[in-house]
Amino acid sequence: MAFDAVEIISIKRDRGELSTPQIDWVIDAYTKGEVADEQMSSLAMAILLNGMNRREIADWTQAMIRSGERMDWSALDRPTADKHSTGGVGDKITLPLAPLVAACGAYVPQLSGRGLAHTGGTLDKLESIPGWRANLSNDEMLAVIRASGAVVCAAGTGLAPADKKLYALRDVTGTVESIPLIASSIMSKKIAEGTGSLVLDVKVGSGAFMKTVDNARELATTMVALGTDAGVRTVALLTAMDRPLGLKIGNTLEVEESVEVLAGGGPSDVIELTLHLAREMLAAAGISGKDPEQALKDGSAMDAWRRMITAQGGDPDALLPHAAESMTLTAPTSGVLSRLDAYSVGVAAWRLGAGRARKEDPVSFGAGITLHAKPGDIVREGQPLLTLHTDETARFDRALQSLDGAYEVSAASDPTLLPLVIDRIEA
Ligand code: URA
């Protein structure tokens, strides 16, 4: 059935409900180029402003899945489990988590993305390892997962092409922060990816797309319902993104911190969240037996990491690129580091070169920020708080502007700091 794009836009503009055939038509016509970008951007803005009900979101998600291929892992002899984070600052959890869960007995097929605005992208981080390849054919993906238990790579062009097009459009039209559009974007890719179970890490706080616990809970509940209805065992955790995760932000820096975790060290929040998510993934996949903590201690997670990197052309022992210049900021006074704002730190790292201003720009692998203290830590006047890393000294000024007012040393901790794991949501 054919519809008129202007009619569909007008229904949503006037707070109406779109029918299933209308949604199917508009997604299909947009994917084929028959609905213009300016019409889709107007519809996306109407959806952002006026929302969609659960039925519309489910239809929108299904239509985006049908725009491309669906992957099939049924040739594998173990359950598949995946994790998806809604994006944050210093969120490198996929890197230690995928090989860790593989070492405990699940297969982890993880299609990942690149950095978006102030949030880092898993593929950009892994590409800092010399030789590592993000683009794999379906056959190569299967070979990597069989060899190492996990594959982290770019989603092929055939997977949810409607989302690829719409996501790029939303990024430049101020229509990213919409619960129906985020939920359908993430879940169309994850359902098309064909994982049997999925754990969602929905970030909350200044460094996340969802700034409040209530909004994050609504997003999580929507995504869990979409996954469950599609036959994917889906659980969501709401986790803190009011401060950065871990002590390192930036591509090479985050690979280094992930390897520290796989080697049995690393910062406590990264270890805790990695283990928490690993246990959720294994439970969702119905796997019991090996405890993830043990797999970190006995080196089996590190072995899976080395196999995974090698199978994708990377050298796990290669020296990683580091930035040429650095600058350290110190504590202005003694006391407790009560606040370290995730968004400001993310923007500063991005401005130092860790992220890209336009999607075709390269990232600087070595650029980023090392933290020497986290909120709640006692610091002394003059003690290093953050080190900024960049290849171009001209970038320091704009990064420093972002950090102006981003941290505070006070007499006591901030009681409003979010707990690392705030809530758990399942169907
Ligand atoms: N990640 C996605 O894949 N889509 C969104 O809309 C937001 C985050």
Side-chain angles (χ1 to χ4, degrees):
M1 206 188 299
F3 292 91
D4 179 30
V6 177
E7 179 195 341
I8 291 180
I9 296 164
S10 310
I11 293 172
K12 215 11 104 184
R13 179 199 63 199
D14 298 339
R15 299 200 165 84
E17 184 178 332
L18 298 177
S19 69
T20 306
Q22 284 168 333
I23 289 173
D24 288 349
W25 177 82
V26 80
I27 295 288
D28 183 52
Y30 178 59
T31 311
K32 291 183 190 146
E34 290 162 10
V35 165
D37 272 350
E38 56 271 26
Q39 293 176 312
M40 192 46 127
S41 93
S42 173
L43 180 57
M45 185 58 84
I47 293 169
L48 181 137
L49 295 173
N50 295 330
M52 289 205 286
N53 65 28
R54 282 289 167 84
R55 200 264 315 144
E56 290 174 292
I57 301 173
D59 285 347
W60 190 273
T61 307
Q62 286 301 329
M64 292 214 292
I65 295 169
R66 278 197 303 275
S67 72
E69 64 175 320
R70 256 181 113 142
M71 299 192 65
D72 177 11
W73 303 99
S74 57
L76 297 175
D77 57 358
R78 285 188 243 151
T80 48
D82 191 8
K83 182 257 346 181
H84 185 86
S85 157
T86 54
V89 177
D91 183 3
K92 73 279 294 169
I93 299 287
T94 289
L95 276 56
L97 182 67
L100 173 60
V101 172
C104 294
Y107 277 129
V108 186
Q110 180 153 75
L111 303 182
S112 298
R114 297 189 184 279
L116 180 71
H118 66 282
T119 66
T122 299
L123 301 180
D124 295 327
K125 294 170 199 179
L126 285 168
E127 276 175 348
S128 69
I129 302 174
W132 187 86
R133 274 194 310 126
N135 294 314
L136 303 181
S137 68
N138 290 1
D139 286 347
E140 285 175 318
M141 270 186 227
L142 208 55
V144 173
I145 208 166
R146 281 204 165 107
S148 63
V151 60
V152 180
C153 62
T157 47
L159 198 102
D163 178 63
K164 252 182 214 93
K165 228 178 140 182
L166 180 55
Y167 195 84
L169 186 72
R170 288 167 57 214
D171 197 22
V172 293
T173 55
T175 50
V176 171
E177 289 92 347
S178 148
I179 290 177
L181 294 177
I182 295 176
S184 55
S185 165
I186 291 175
M187 294 309 292
S188 62
K189 285 175 289 207
K190 291 288 137 179
I191 296 167
E193 170 198 276
T195 184
S197 54
L198 175 65
V199 177
L200 296 160
D201 182 4
V202 179
K203 299 287 183 203
V204 188
S206 75
F209 290 125
M210 296 293 113
K211 310 291 180 202
T212 66
V213 173
D214 283 351
N215 281 347
R217 190 172 283 118
E218 189 185 335
L219 175 63
T221 310
T222 308
M223 292 196 289
V224 167
L226 288 171
T228 307
D229 289 350
V232 181
R233 282 180 300 281
T234 311
V235 173
L237 298 182
L238 306 191
T239 72
M241 190 35 70
D242 51 350
R243 68 276 186 185
L245 190 56
L247 293 170
K248 296 184 179 182
I249 300 108
N251 300 299
T252 297
L253 292 165
E254 294 191 40
V255 171
E256 284 175 352
E257 189 164 85
S258 303
V259 172
E260 284 167 28
V261 171
L262 288 162
S268 58
D269 56 349
V270 180
I271 301 168
E272 186 184 333
L273 191 54
T274 303
L275 290 174
H276 206 113
L277 288 163
R279 291 188 179 117
E280 289 286 358
M281 285 170 75
L282 292 166
I287 293 176
S288 54
K290 188 152 187 176
D291 181 49
E293 197 164 1
Q294 183 58 26
L296 283 184
K297 283 201 187 113
D298 67 16
S300 53
M302 178 67 100
D303 291 344
W305 160 264
R306 295 178 64 83
R307 282 197 301 273
M308 180 180 98
I309 297 302
T310 309
Q312 286 178 239
D315 176 358
D317 298 314
L319 279 180
L320 301 180
H322 281 98
E325 310 290 339
S326 67
M327 173 190 284
T328 294
L329 307 182
T330 56
T333 165
S334 295
V336 178
L337 180 64
S338 51
R339 203 170 59 80
L340 179 61
D341 181 61
Y343 178 72
S344 312
V345 173
V347 171
W350 179 40
R351 289 180 177 171
L352 289 166
R356 42 173 78 75
R358 291 169 310 163
K359 64 181 187 314
E360 53 281 359
D361 289 349
V363 296
S364 157
F365 292 128
I369 295 180
T370 311
L371 307 178
H372 304 290
K374 292 286 291 252
D377 288 353
I378 293 171
V379 297
R380 291 190 169 281
E381 184 180 338
Q383 173 188 323
L385 281 188
L386 309 96
T387 300
L388 281 49
H389 308 271
T390 186
D391 290 324
E392 301 160 57
T393 46
R395 288 181 176 267
F396 280 132
D397 268 0
R398 297 259 297 139
L400 289 172
Q401 277 168 24
S402 174
L403 291 170
D404 191 24
Y407 52 88
E408 215 169 283
V409 177
S410 321
S413 291
D414 177 359
T416 65
L417 210 63
L418 292 166
L420 182 61
V421 177
I422 301 157
D423 204 354
R424 177 181 189 280
I425 288 160
E426 65 183 333

